Amino acid sequence: MAVEPIRTDIVIIGAGPVGLFAVFEAGLLGLECHLVDNLDKVGGQCAELYPDKPIYDIPAIPVCTGQELVDRLMEQIRPFRPTFHLQQQAEKLSRTAEGRWRLETSAGTVFEAPVIVIAAGAGSFVPRKMPLPGAEAFEGRSLFYVVRRRDDFRDRRILVAGGGDSALDWVLNLEPIAREIALVHRRDEFRAAPDSVARMRALVEAGRMKLFIGQITGLEGRDGELEAVRIRTAEGTEIRYGCDRLLAFYGLKMELGPIAEWGLNLERNLIRVDTEAFETSVPSIFAIGDICTYPGKLKLILCGFHEGALMARRAFDYCRPNEKFVFRYTTSSTELHKRLGVA
Amino acid sequence: MPKVYVVDREGVEHELEGQPGWSLMEIIREAGLPIEAACGGCCACATCHVYVDAEWLGRLEEPGEEENAMLDSAFEVRETSRLACQIRFRPELAGIRVTLAPEF
Ligand SMILES: Cc1cc2nc3c(=O)[nH]c(=O)nc-3n(C[C@H](O)[C@H](O)[C@H](O)COP(=O)(O)OP(=O)(O)OC[C@H]3O[C@@H](n4cnc5c(N)ncnc54)[C@H](O)[C@@H]3O)c2cc1C
Ligand code: FES
């Protein structure tokens, strides 16, 4: 069944700080935005990689953490009511008969808009995969980096790898339905909620799960079906743990992904833009923030904000071809005050 | 200029100029060797993972909790594993030798 497309002015790919602020600049010009992000939250690198670390170089904010910056941006753009489509990757881009862009996501959401803004940072955050020889053959059948269907793990002999919240949460969540479950982690210290760690240790105490301190060195099995995992323990001995499901959590990394296939002018996985409007080699597709490159580009949040302002100016012409652009300040314009909801 | 020796993933050793005050990651990256350093040295990615030659290990400060936690998401972590962005180069480290850990 064909999905009814969402029609809007601008689709922004990436809800990092730069994508978020672009909503503001576009909103001032009366343009509506929808945002797509692969993560389950907004904020891009600031929220995923360094929520608690301080940032000192945002103009007029002497210091704030990554998460505080994201929270403030969300507050600032609230008047423009952006719509977020999270946990989905922007995948396919094509032209409609009317010359608009049609964008499809991995979750099947379809947009139609005159302007596409790529604010994709270094690409989508995706799980880091195990660099073990032959691991690929098991992927999606008996080796997983995310849980899509909990039932895939029912009555299975499961090994979970990792020492953070994802690993601990899934151990606790799957233990009741698993035939057998074990956790393997490099060291006997866990960077997860203390309560989860305590519950995991209690399960080990009670003999309901196993805990291995060591690292995975090999996978055994055939035709994508895992039979055992080899582990080198911290003491240096090799053990073999029989299991048919491996769930590995080694954090996230950024990968350009499908955007690379869209026929844009790429330079070492960055998108080349002009510095007047941050438009790509394809008119009405813009790229701002870490993903774009031009002579002198610096990967700073503040540069991304500037890029968003100039992008919005040009995007206006594509979205409102019959209207004349008027430059106005937020300080004094009643029109802008109305849009900001302060009039 | 004090030297830093870096063995790449093909086993080839490179002699680099050690800039005091720079991190080892910055020295390696500046020389154009393949170190991803995705987070730019903020101890947030583990893609600057190196093995430090055993005789140098003791002369470095112990890794902090943050570095240790980040190493959890690296692969093939050994006793000698460190994150190069967390090692600040100083003249006393002249001659230090590290090996780039496998990429993933
Ligand atoms: C540890 C650390 C410290 C830093 N400190 C500073 C600092 O002090 N000051 C400073 O100015 N900068 C700093 N930076 C850099 C700053 O975080 C980046 O410049 C900024 O996050 C870039 O924002 P962005 O919106 O362009 O991209 P990102 O924040 O990378 O966000 C991009 C988003 O796009 C999503 N995405 C990509 N492709 C797709 C797709 N196809 N479909 C769906 N979603 C997709 C990703 O999942 C991601 O959430 C730091 C970075 C790190 C890692
Ligand atoms: S560069 Fe990212 S942890 Fe060192």
Side-chain angles (χ1 to χ4, degrees), chain A residues 53 128 131 185-187 215, chain B residues 42 45 66 68 72 77 104:
Chain A
K53 288 194 176 147
R128 229 185 257 280
H185 179 47
R186 181 174 78 85
R187 54 192 186 128
Q215 295 179 74
Chain B
C42 294
C45 73
E66 224 174 290
N68 246 324
D72 286 347
V77 179
F104 74 108

Side-chain angles (χ1 to χ4, degrees), chain B residues 25 36-49 70 83-86:
Chain B
M25 177 281 280
E36 190 186 335
C39 79
C42 294
C43 200
C45 73
T47 58
C48 63
H49 179 195
M70 217 48 241
L83 295 180
C85 70
Q86 299 302 303

Side-chain angles (χ1 to χ4, degrees), chain A residues 49 53 128-132 163 185-187 189 191 215-216 232 234 250-251 253, chain B residues 42-47 65-66 68-69 71-78 103-104:
Chain A
L49 297 179
K53 288 194 176 147
R128 229 185 257 280
K129 297 183 178 174
M130 305 214 294
L132 287 176
H185 179 47
R186 181 174 78 85
R187 54 192 186 128
E189 262 169 79
R191 255 243 176 153
Q215 295 179 74
I216 296 179
R232 192 178 51 239
Y250 290 100
K253 67 170 188 171
Chain B
C42 294
C43 200
C45 73
T47 58
E65 169 51 29
E66 224 174 290
N68 246 324
L71 277 169
D72 286 347
S73 56
F75 233 80
E76 292 191 31
V77 179
R78 306 183 192 149
E103 216 168 4
F104 74 108

Side-chain angles (χ1 to χ4, degrees), chain A residues 6-24:
Chain A
I6 297 170
R7 287 168 206 278
T8 187
D9 291 318
I10 302 182
V11 181
I12 302 178
I13 300 167
V18 175
L20 293 178
F21 193 67
V23 171
F24 186 85

Side-chain angles (χ1 to χ4, degrees), chain A residues 30-259:
Chain A
L31 306 177
E32 181 197 73
C33 300
H34 281 250
L35 296 92
V36 182
D37 204 298
N38 217 27
L39 286 177
D40 58 359
K41 54 176 173 287
V42 302
Q45 297 175 40
C46 302
E48 180 60 35
L49 297 179
Y50 61 106
D52 303 320
K53 288 194 176 147
I55 308 175
Y56 296 99
D57 58 351
I58 304 298
I61 302 179
V63 60
C64 70
T65 65
Q67 188 58 47
E68 278 164 4
L69 181 77
V70 174
D71 294 344
R72 286 177 189 213
L73 284 167
M74 288 299 280
E75 186 187 330
Q76 194 168 23
I77 67 177
R78 192 179 311 131
F80 303 116
R81 284 184 232 106
T83 314
F84 293 95
H85 305 267
L86 300 178
Q87 286 182 285
Q88 43 197 303
Q89 190 173 43
E91 268 182 359
K92 276 189 235 140
L93 186 67
S94 55
R95 281 270 196 195
T96 67
E98 304 83 59
R100 292 158 63 91
W101 292 111
R102 179 187 162 89
L103 180 79
E104 289 176 48
T105 76
S106 54
T109 315
V110 181
F111 302 94
E112 272 187 30
V115 168
I116 299 288
V117 173
I118 305 175
S124 325
F125 277 103
V126 293
R128 229 185 257 280
K129 297 183 178 174
M130 305 214 294
L132 287 176
E136 252 168 49
F138 297 104
E139 204 182 312
R141 300 190 62 174
S142 51
L143 160 62
F144 298 86
Y145 298 102
V146 285
V147 178
R148 297 230 188 269
R149 280 191 319 255
R150 188 168 175 259
D151 257 355
D152 286 341
F153 295 84
R154 185 175 297 279
D155 297 324
R156 295 293 180 170
R157 285 145 62 220
I158 310 168
L159 178 64
V160 178
D165 278 309
S166 312
L168 274 281
D169 288 352
W170 279 112
V171 162
L172 298 174
N173 182 298
L174 295 176
E175 188 273 334
I177 63 163
R179 182 137 73 87
E180 239 178 63
I181 192 162
L183 176 66
V184 55
H185 179 47
R186 181 174 78 85
R187 54 192 186 128
D188 200 6
E189 262 169 79
F190 295 85
R191 255 243 176 153
D195 173 61
S196 315
V197 179
R199 285 170 58 202
M200 179 274 292
R201 293 213 191 269
L203 287 177
V204 176
E205 258 327 90
R208 282 163 58 191
M209 66 170 280
K210 283 201 182 76
L211 172 62
F212 299 111
I213 303 302
Q215 295 179 74
I216 296 179
T217 53
L219 308 179
E220 291 174 17
R222 270 191 294 167
D223 305 328
E225 299 300 335
L226 196 64
E227 286 159 16
V229 170
R230 286 194 306 275
I231 298 173
R232 192 178 51 239
T233 66
E235 293 81 45
T237 51
E238 287 269 347
I239 54 175
R240 196 174 166 279
Y241 179 70
C243 57
D244 51 20
R245 286 288 180 272
L246 173 57
L247 189 50
F249 297 104
Y250 290 100
L252 301 176
K253 67 170 188 171
M254 299 184 88
E255 230 172 49
L256 185 57
I259 295 172

